[in-house]
Amino acid sequence: MTLQKIAIWDAKKVYESLGCDKGGISILSKKSSLHTILIKNMHVGAANILKQDSLSIGADLAVPTGVITAKEKYVDGILIVTTKQLEILSRKELAQPFGLKEFAKNLKEFIPSKKYPTKIMGVLNANEDSFFQNSRFNESDASFRINKMIEDGACIIDIGAVSSRPGSIAVSWEEELQRAKPIIDVIYKEKLFEKAKFSLDSYEPKVLEYALENGFSIVNDITGLANDEVCKVASKYNAQVVIMHMQKDPTVMQENPVYDDLIQEIDDFFKERIEKAKSFGIEDIVLDVGIGFGKTLEHNLKLIKNLEHFKHFGYELLMGASRKSMINKIVETPTEQRLPGTLAIHLESINYGASIIRCHDVKEHYQAIKVQEAINTQEVL
């Protein structure tokens, strides 16, 4: 008899290869996924009940010393559970006092849902002040650049005509449309939208409407649907909408950004904007935590490590850290040399739940992601 520790990435596949009974594979898979969930401001009575209920099903709740004697009225805790135990507790706590009924409803959201295949969103900019020079282009080489990105592995192309880098100044919608229109026209004329999905990185309703009228199907809004008119346009064309979080605006967003509770504040923002989107009839939603948009290096790193938290909304997560300055703050590097750091961030983001990767270097990302997928899907038995 020998022992061998194995890495389980796809639990169902592991148990299938072992030859387990089909009925038991689902049960075993749920027991193989471990979750750690931070609970804040929990009534001490709830903490004691949840502790006992967790232990009774083989899970656990880490709490401060003194909880059993109710030393403090409200405490924080960390729940350590499998997917199966999450399902049990989300039902069991519905009958308990001290706010546990509402807790149970919220806990249910953290039960793992649908897995999305990884998609690459290639970035092309029709403005001369984009922070990465190689992403800039015009209508004369639009078709070539777009076809090359699709050939290299992009299934979404994100077109931008206005820079949103820190300190950038917004332009009029007329100027933005003047920049974007020739590229949009090329995409429509050559029916490139039949080869890939097209997204417009904009928050101007009239510019977005022109794009959606001419083959585009995604609204990538860095303001997170702040403008009702953007919601109306997106709904009119049944567009997919990327809701991004940004603190303040590009002109001042990097001037000492501060959060009392980074994860919770962004969670609250998403909740509010999702409700707003739905009120306009928008259902196809993607969430983007907005790396570098009103965040310090520490904020960005924390968001990457906690990206999985935002999966509880049930929508795809987009990660866009391509060649951003956070890499330079870790290892001093010019924009042109930040591909290795970009790949490191994006591959980790996929591990933490991102399924759409927005990047400048499509070919390199396609290879890296395929290698990662091969490793993660390799049979361990």
Side-chain angles (χ1 to χ4, degrees):
M1 184 185 297
T2 62
L3 300 179
Q4 183 183 123
K5 187 173 183 179
I6 61 172
I8 294 183
W9 179 259
D10 186 338
K12 285 187 177 180
K13 189 171 182 179
V14 170
Y15 295 125
E16 284 171 359
S17 65
L18 190 62
C20 296
D21 176 75
K22 288 184 178 180
I25 288 174
S26 177
I27 297 170
L28 291 168
S29 299
K30 291 176 181 179
K31 291 181 177 180
S32 299
S33 300
L34 190 65
H35 311 277
T36 51
I37 300 173
L38 175 63
I39 307 168
K40 291 189 172 184
N41 301 315
M42 179 171 36
H43 190 282
V44 69
N48 278 304
I49 292 170
L50 186 57
K51 175 75 172 179
Q52 293 306 312
D53 284 349
S54 298
L55 289 172
S56 72
I57 61 170
D60 208 341
L61 178 71
V63 291
T65 56
V67 163
I68 196 168
T69 58
K71 186 177 180 181
E72 301 289 340
K73 188 173 182 179
Y74 291 94
V75 297
D76 295 342
I78 296 177
L79 183 63
I80 307 160
V81 287
T82 64
T83 299
K84 182 62 178 177
Q85 291 160 353
L86 265 180
E87 292 176 345
I88 296 171
L89 284 177
S90 67
R91 295 191 300 268
K92 193 169 187 177
E93 303 312 302
L94 285 169
Q96 299 289 12
F98 302 115
L100 284 172
K101 183 177 181 179
E102 187 64 26
F103 162 83
K105 294 177 182 177
N106 294 333
L107 189 64
K108 192 174 182 179
E109 294 182 0
F110 288 88
I111 297 171
S113 55
K114 180 181 177 182
K115 284 187 178 181
Y116 297 95
T118 303
K119 295 180 281 289
I120 297 174
M121 174 189 275
V123 181
L124 288 176
N125 294 298
N127 51 296
E128 287 302 314
D129 55 348
S130 170
F131 84 98
F132 182 44
Q133 186 174 357
N134 289 354
S135 70
R136 303 172 196 165
F137 78 113
N138 54 49
E139 65 272 22
S140 63
D141 65 347
S143 180
F144 173 79
R145 293 285 296 275
I146 291 168
N147 276 298
K148 184 68 169 64
M149 277 195 162
I150 295 170
E151 180 186 321
D152 287 343
C155 56
I156 307 169
I157 307 292
D158 191 42
I159 305 293
V162 178
S163 176
S164 57
R165 74 187 191 285
S168 60
I169 306 297
V171 301
S172 68
W173 71 264
E174 293 92 344
E175 171 67 18
E176 182 181 349
L177 182 58
Q178 185 179 353
R179 295 177 185 180
K181 186 178 182 298
I183 286 87
I184 295 171
D185 291 345
V186 168
I187 292 165
Y188 187 72
K189 181 182 178 181
E190 298 189 15
K191 296 185 177 180
L192 296 174
F193 55 85
E194 294 180 355
K195 297 181 179 181
K197 290 185 177 181
F198 282 85
S199 163
L200 189 67
D201 184 0
S202 175
Y203 48 86
E204 288 291 350
K206 292 182 180 179
V207 185
L208 286 164
E209 180 148 29
Y210 187 82
L212 293 171
E213 186 72 37
N214 291 278
F216 281 58
S217 58
I218 303 172
V219 171
N220 186 8
D221 183 1
I222 65 168
T223 72
L225 300 183
N227 188 344
D228 288 0
E229 294 304 312
V230 170
C231 296
K232 291 176 184 177
V233 170
S235 179
K236 177 182 176 181
Y237 290 91
N238 197 30
Q240 183 178 71
V241 173
V242 179
I243 298 176
M244 194 194 81
H245 175 272
M246 172 174 59
Q247 191 181 82
K248 301 178 183 177
D249 63 73
T251 59
V252 295
M253 64 186 180
Q254 287 306 101
E255 294 179 8
N256 191 35
V258 175
Y259 297 85
D260 292 328
D261 187 329
L262 176 70
I263 305 300
Q264 190 58 52
E265 287 178 43
I266 294 179
D267 190 278
D268 291 342
F269 170 83
F270 282 149
K271 183 178 180 181
E272 176 206 332
R273 294 305 168 88
I274 289 168
E275 289 175 357
K276 180 177 182 178
K278 288 185 173 182
S279 73
F280 282 90
I282 299 168
E283 295 292 339
D284 195 353
I285 297 169
V286 174
L287 303 178
D288 179 356
V289 295
I291 295 296
F293 284 81
K295 283 99 178 173
T296 64
L297 172 62
E298 289 71 25
H299 293 148
N300 291 327
L301 294 172
K302 187 172 183 178
L303 283 170
I304 293 165
K305 290 286 286 185
N306 290 277
L307 196 61
E308 189 175 11
H309 165 83
F310 300 103
K311 289 178 70 176
H312 77 86
F313 287 107
Y315 299 111
E316 287 196 80
L317 303 179
L318 183 152
M319 174 56 63
S322 189
R323 297 180 179 269
K324 288 189 175 178
S325 62
M326 68 170 290
I327 300 166
N328 183 60
K329 291 173 182 175
I330 299 170
V331 179
E332 194 169 331
T333 320
T335 307
E336 295 73 22
Q337 297 176 22
R338 294 178 191 165
L339 177 57
T342 299
L343 289 169
I345 293 169
H346 286 164
L347 292 176
E348 278 297 285
S349 298
I350 292 169
N351 283 338
Y352 290 123
S355 60
I356 302 175
I357 300 299
R358 184 180 183 273
C359 63
H360 300 96
D361 309 281
V362 172
K363 188 173 185 177
E364 293 82 355
H365 274 78
Y366 183 82
Q367 182 185 93
I369 290 168
K370 287 302 175 184
V371 170
Q372 182 189 52
E373 288 176 349
I375 294 170
N376 289 339
T377 57
Q378 172 63 39
E379 292 186 7
V380 295
L381 298 182

